[in-house]
Amino acid sequence: MMFPAWPPQWPEITESILRSVRRGDWGRYRGEATAALQEQIAQQVGCRHVRLVSSGSLGVELALRAVGVAPGQQVALCGYDYPGNFRAIELLGARPVLVDADPTSHSIDPQALQRLWQDAGTKHAVKAVVVSHLYGVPAPIRRLRELCDHADWALIEDACQTPGMQIDGRPAGAWGDVGVFSFGGSKPLTAGNGGAVLTDRDPIASRLNAWLDRPSDSAPMSELQAAALLPQLDRLAECNQIRSETVSAITAGVDWIRQATADGQPTPPATFYKFAFLCERRDAMLETLRRAGLPVGPGYRSMHRSSDRRCDKVGPLDRCRLLGEQLCLLDHSALLATGPLRTQLVQRLSEASPY
Ligand SMILES: Cc1ncc(COP(=O)(O)O)c(C=O)c1O
């Protein structure tokens, strides 16, 4: 099946890059595109401080540093998450604490985080919590924010996959003490590489600036990357809407997929990056779907088996194990299908039923 090209081959992206070249900004430390991108992100997310950085991975590490995570302290994260978040915690000399996943979102389960809080003070010295919105489905962020406030833990909101998502009327990235976006090659806004770190808190912004400005920016995004992103930001809401409609068509038209998601529980309103679904015989299923011409792959490996030398765990992390074994992803290029292509996509998925 011929899905829309990725990265997007829009003339306005080429034109924006060419404008930057003509201005000579391609060869400057800073130019119009980076300044405009920074300002537009700050406006859309409603955060006063935005730093463009070289990747989302580094963005999470800088966020952890900026909220004051120090060697020996603990940082909680979901046992099913982008593996680089675990590494970022380790790289700071801190200790990851793995928490089970929530049945409706693939992110941290608030009840499991509450158990961690009940243990805190006796067994734990938690400083911060990393919460990722995965595959476009929002984490239960309001509840997690309340818990972090109550426990006096910093909240790092990893919104790398979900720029433009609104949760209870507030943009993803604005719920955390620090929010992080990625502009990596697979992301809804892509510059091949790049990211952004956002905060509304002046002391956190000062610390970020102190690390990054030496006085050259030590982890910059280039003008050409920013120029490529600006037209995509203009059309983000439109593309998010298309992806969301494709997912609605899939969940309405493919019975077996609806059964497999989120234990049958309703998911909150979503802005989709990739579409995640569960399948018990995953390898066979992925092979069938690939043969049908569908761009699919497995999700992350679960971290439930990580060595006790490297991390602590809250409970047996059963949900993380299940996600690690069964989660399949339909690529975002397929989610941009419209019209007859979308109908064909739904039909092929339907025909591939494992039940
Ligand atoms: C949830 C999440 N966090 C962080 C990252 C890291 O972003 P980057 O690839 O820009 O380093 C990714 C990238 O896949 C991600 O999906």
Side-chain angles (χ1 to χ4, degrees):
M1 293 181 71
M2 287 293 290
F3 291 109
W6 194 267
Q9 291 172 4
W10 304 339
E12 58 266 46
I13 295 178
T14 312
E15 192 41 49
S16 176
I17 292 172
L18 284 176
R19 270 199 303 277
S20 183
V21 170
R22 285 187 208 112
R23 280 196 303 266
D25 279 354
W26 63 274
R28 299 199 167 98
Y29 275 114
R30 273 183 70 81
E32 286 182 25
T34 38
L37 183 66
Q38 216 165 356
E39 197 182 309
Q40 286 184 32
I41 293 174
Q43 232 173 40
Q44 289 182 15
V45 182
C47 278
R48 281 178 301 124
H49 309 285
V50 175
R51 284 299 303 233
L52 301 176
V53 292
S54 54
S55 71
S57 302
L58 184 74
V60 172
E61 187 184 324
L62 287 169
L64 289 165
R65 276 179 191 276
V67 299
V69 170
Q73 290 180 326
Q74 290 174 312
V75 177
L77 78 164
C78 188
Y80 182 86
D81 199 357
Y82 173 65
N85 291 349
F86 186 104
R87 288 291 293 134
I89 297 164
E90 282 191 320
L91 285 168
L92 296 183
R95 190 167 167 83
V97 186
L98 301 178
V99 181
D100 209 358
D102 171 64
T104 65
S105 70
H106 330 300
S107 301
I108 289 188
D109 177 2
Q111 286 182 11
L113 194 67
Q114 182 146 15
R115 275 202 295 286
L116 178 63
W117 176 72
Q118 281 157 353
D119 283 350
T122 51
K123 283 198 278 186
H124 297 291
V126 178
K127 174 70 181 175
V129 181
V130 178
V131 176
S132 304
H133 305 288
L134 293 185
Y135 318 126
V137 181
I141 195 78
R142 180 180 289 282
R143 184 78 194 101
L144 294 171
R145 175 77 264 179
E146 283 165 7
L147 276 166
C148 286
D149 287 344
H150 198 70
D152 199 21
W153 295 335
L155 172 56
I156 311 299
E157 187 186 6
D158 178 341
C160 280
Q161 299 184 355
T162 51
M165 179 164 73
Q166 294 282 325
I167 313 163
D168 291 348
R170 194 160 164 189
W175 288 85
D177 296 278
V178 189
V180 183
F181 288 152
S182 162
F183 307 125
S186 67
K187 299 299 185 301
L189 294 172
T190 177
N193 292 292
V197 183
L198 304 85
T199 185
D200 225 14
R201 311 209 170 186
D202 296 341
I204 293 180
S206 300
R207 261 178 251 141
L208 275 172
N209 293 341
W211 276 303
L212 287 169
D213 299 330
R214 304 184 188 182
S216 297
D217 189 334
S218 58
M221 249 184 63
S222 78
E223 266 300 297
L224 294 184
Q225 287 173 304
L229 286 166
L230 284 169
Q232 296 176 64
L233 196 57
D234 289 344
R235 289 179 58 182
L236 181 63
E238 175 201 333
C239 291
N240 278 343
Q241 178 67 23
I242 294 172
R243 284 187 279 260
S244 206
E245 285 168 6
T246 303
V247 168
S248 298
I250 292 170
T251 49
V254 187
D255 276 357
W256 65 268
I257 277 195
R258 197 170 39 219
Q259 286 165 357
T261 43
D263 288 349
Q265 297 185 30
T267 49
T271 297
F272 287 94
Y273 154 64
K274 299 183 181 191
F275 175 59
F277 54 95
L278 302 181
C279 194
E280 277 168 30
R281 295 189 309 115
R282 178 170 66 182
D283 290 348
M285 189 65 208
L286 289 178
E287 191 46 42
T288 306
L289 293 171
R290 280 193 199 108
R291 266 192 264 111
L294 299 176
V296 287
Y300 299 132
R301 282 181 57 182
S302 163
M303 296 182 276
H304 69 281
R305 281 219 200 94
S306 302
S307 159
D308 292 345
R309 275 182 289 112
R310 294 177 69 188
C311 63
D312 296 313
K313 295 168 194 163
V314 183
L317 307 177
D318 288 335
R319 177 81 189 164
C320 296
R321 181 182 46 75
L322 181 109
L323 294 175
E325 287 168 0
Q326 297 189 10
L327 197 134
C328 305
L329 293 172
L330 179 66
D331 201 56
H332 47 90
S333 58
L335 298 185
L336 285 173
T338 53
L341 189 60
R342 183 184 285 160
T343 311
Q344 204 185 350
L345 166 68
V346 172
Q347 198 177 340
R348 294 237 178 143
L349 279 169
S350 228
E351 286 164 3
S353 171
Y355 301 110

